[in-house]
Amino acid sequence: MNTIRIAIAGPRGRMGREAVKLVQATDQFELAAVVDHKYDGLLLSELDGFSQVNVPIYTDLAKCLQESNADVLVDLTTPEVGMYHAKTALSYNVRPVVGTTGFSKEDLKELENICREKELGCIIAPNFAIGAVLMMKFSQMAAKYFQDVEIIELHHDQKLDAPSGTAVKTAEMIAEVRERKVQGHPNEKETLRGARGADLEGMHIHSVRLPGLIAHQQVLFGSDGQTLTIRHDSYHRGSFMSGVKIAVETVMKLDSFVYGLENILE
Ligand code: NAP
């Protein structure tokens, strides 16, 4: 396989740091540049914790893509900039692999259309952890037999978006197979607003934010006399990197848009 040149947006972040390590440790990957909103013109090696990483930092993504000759942009930033980054990368024929969460349905549709026009690969993955992808698949399997489901997602308290992209994606996958139902008592009333969580096609999603947590999700199914709980826990951000590696390798072979790692795992 040819070497894949990678630019990483958000290298100082918790996910970005792991992604820098992954690229450095992978033979067929080469870190071409990084994109940040500060430290323009410095080398990444001049920042704390990156002593051996001699790649330029750009604050201007367009300039970065023009000068770095990157094949893939890995974006691990914030929902506000993630969409701009993905669109800009595609406009320079650079394939985005986006882990940033919080994209709207309209954003995803827009990216899908750009990819179709340009016949270029792009992967948006709300969760790169293989175990989380299996949790979603198993939940979809269970939803054929259990119509009543509630999702509890638990994350660290610095997470910006709620509910998590994984929870939304899980509910959407369940909705594909679950007979539509509004759950709970038809006359149920919240005496404290938000007590029943968010509602996605009648399923309820609850978001927990606590220091100490990383990324966790529990999908609870209930029917007469039984419950089924499917749970996944990420204890360390390294848990996401095998998925990032697969996504980078796969996006180079794609000429279309993919949302969700489950669609590229065999
Ligand atoms: P984080 O630690 O806050 O990192 C985000 C980084 O992006 C920070 O270094 C931030 O810099 C930087 N940034 C902000 N604006 C930028 C810009 N315009 N250009 C470049 N960099 C910019 O967050 P995280 O925990 O690493 O998570 C990053 C994203 O990945 C979030 O959306 C999160 O939900 C998502 N996530 C996805 C997965 C997955 O498996 N797909 C797993 C975990 C997290 P400052 O700190 O200076 O603002």
Side-chain angles (χ1 to χ4, degrees):
M1 190 195 268
N2 291 336
T3 299
I4 303 174
R5 287 177 63 76
I6 300 167
I8 296 177
R12 287 177 302 105
R14 288 158 292 199
M15 286 288 282
R17 281 178 190 272
E18 292 295 329
V20 169
K21 277 192 232 160
L22 167 78
V23 173
Q24 295 287 90
T26 306
D27 281 347
Q28 74 270 27
F29 290 177
E30 188 179 334
L31 190 60
V34 295
V35 182
D36 207 323
H37 61 123
K38 36 187 158 176
Y39 305 118
D40 191 41
L42 294 187
L43 290 175
L44 191 55
S45 52
E46 294 175 71
L47 305 189
D48 279 352
F50 297 102
S51 59
Q52 302 297 318
V53 196
N54 289 311
V55 297
I57 303 173
Y58 291 88
T59 53
D60 180 342
L61 175 62
K63 190 170 170 217
C64 168
L65 298 176
Q66 279 161 5
E67 294 183 0
S68 69
N69 207 16
D71 302 303
V72 174
L73 173 72
V74 174
D75 187 82
L76 298 160
T77 57
T78 68
E80 295 74 40
V81 281
M83 179 63 185
Y84 164 73
H85 281 174
K87 275 168 64 175
T88 307
L90 286 167
S91 75
Y92 284 90
N93 294 323
V94 173
R95 292 152 196 263
V97 167
V98 180
T100 304
T101 54
F103 282 47
S104 68
K105 273 197 172 141
E106 292 72 35
D107 290 340
L108 299 174
K109 195 80 217 151
E110 191 179 346
L111 290 174
E112 186 176 2
N113 288 338
I114 300 172
C115 289
R116 190 177 309 113
E117 269 166 35
K118 298 198 74 119
E119 296 185 3
L120 207 58
C122 169
I123 297 175
I124 312 277
N127 202 321
F128 282 120
I130 309 281
V133 172
L134 292 175
M135 168 194 63
M136 291 189 247
K137 286 197 175 216
F138 296 156
S139 299
Q140 190 181 44
M141 214 187 260
K144 277 189 199 159
Y145 307 98
F146 291 84
Q147 220 182 338
D148 290 79
V149 50
E150 304 243 345
I151 299 172
I152 304 173
E153 56 95 343
L154 310 92
H155 282 83
H156 59 89
D157 63 344
Q158 299 305 302
K159 185 168 176 58
L160 294 175
D161 53 319
S164 71
T166 304
V168 172
K169 180 73 185 163
T170 308
E172 286 170 355
M173 284 173 67
I174 289 174
E176 283 170 23
V177 299
R178 167 184 173 268
E179 205 179 309
R180 208 183 141 75
K181 179 177 183 186
V182 176
Q183 294 176 193
H185 195 284
N187 298 333
E188 91 180 359
K189 219 187 241 153
E190 287 181 339
T191 52
L192 210 52
R193 205 165 70 84
R196 293 287 290 120
D199 183 318
L200 200 152
E201 304 228 6
M203 285 171 266
H204 291 259
I205 305 178
H206 311 268
S207 298
V208 178
R209 296 290 176 266
L210 283 174
L213 293 170
I214 301 280
H216 317 257
Q217 181 169 296
Q218 196 160 303
V219 186
L220 292 107
F221 295 92
S223 78
D224 195 18
Q226 60 178 326
T227 61
L228 170 67
T229 303
I230 301 172
R231 181 173 171 115
H232 175 261
D233 298 274
S234 276
Y235 297 109
H236 183 270
R237 285 181 180 78
S239 64
F240 302 112
M241 292 304 130
S242 53
V244 174
K245 181 169 183 284
I246 292 171
V248 168
E249 288 162 355
T250 307
V251 81
M252 291 303 294
K253 300 175 207 149
L254 286 180
D255 59 4
S256 60
F257 176 79
V258 170
Y259 174 57
L261 199 65
E262 65 282 2
N263 295 309
I264 58 168
L265 291 181
E266 313 246 305

